[in-house]
Amino acid sequence: MAESKLAVSHIEKFFRIEQEYLQVLDDITLDIPEGAFVSIVGASGCGKSTLIRIIAGLEQPSGGKITLDGKQITKPSLDVGMVFQEARLLPWLSVEKNIDFGISDKSLSKSERAQKVQNLISLTGLNGFAKALPRQLSGGMQQRVAIARGLINTPKVLLLDEPFGALDAFTRMTMQTELLNIWRKEKNTMVLVTHDIDEAIFLSTHIVILSERPGRIKEVIPVELTGQRDRSSSEFLQIRKRVLKSFFNKNEELLEYYL
């Protein structure tokens, strides 16, 4: 990858379980360019979500460091937004108030806050739902609110931890397209954790493949797709084949099944 804005340097992570230490991540080093869309994939338990929580400042590494524009990340920051698998909306607040709740700049006037919220409501396709409560929204609409809330402070980096994992297949594909459009408009750096290989290819500029625990970087695959991303194109399928080969290179039976 090119010269980075977000740098992951020799990250290690151990968890203490009773009297023993379990290593989850081992020597993760990754340079993420400004404006890139990076997806992290790997088997369950390989440390994907742990890594993204360390980048967010929600977990501390056992070794190594994360820097953004040369400044070390040691705690949550307005420069780094986060979207989780569950929307985690406040059920008693409307869509617009859930988004407004995340605004950190207390110097903004009421009208300025309202304009920021409205801009994100439009960006995330929530027009007409500003006054709705979370229980009145579908799962996909709730995740739109979560993404809007993650963007409200204009973070340099938006982290997404399986944000569409609980959605049905059709809603998930719609949300992937919406997220791709948001990234193209906002030009944030985005880092996504996903189990879905096609989702990673559709959204990403780079795919990072982690090994089984302890998670190590097996390969970083560039996604060089131009224009509208076609899931049935030969270029898309070639990248899919390369990702699958990286996953199952020691299991010919599984590789043959998926290819």
Side-chain angles (χ1 to χ4, degrees), residues 37 39 172-181 183-184 192 196-205 207 223 225 227-232 236 239:
F37 197 127
S39 288
R172 185 170 187 149
M173 290 176 70
T174 299
M175 290 301 299
Q176 289 165 3
T177 301
E178 293 294 335
L179 182 60
L180 188 63
N181 290 335
W183 170 67
R184 285 172 170 167
L192 169 75
D196 187 329
I197 292 172
D198 286 358
E199 178 172 272
I201 299 169
F202 184 77
L203 290 170
S204 305
T205 59
I207 299 172
V223 179
L225 298 174
Q228 295 298 316
R229 298 197 167 194
D230 181 357
R231 300 170 196 261
S232 63
F236 192 101
I239 296 169

Side-chain angles (χ1 to χ4, degrees), residues 99 120-121 124 126 143-153:
I99 299 171
L120 283 169
I121 284 175
T124 53
L126 289 165
Q143 282 301 82
R144 290 172 192 259
V145 181
I147 291 168
R149 189 176 56 187
L151 291 168
I152 193 64
N153 293 306

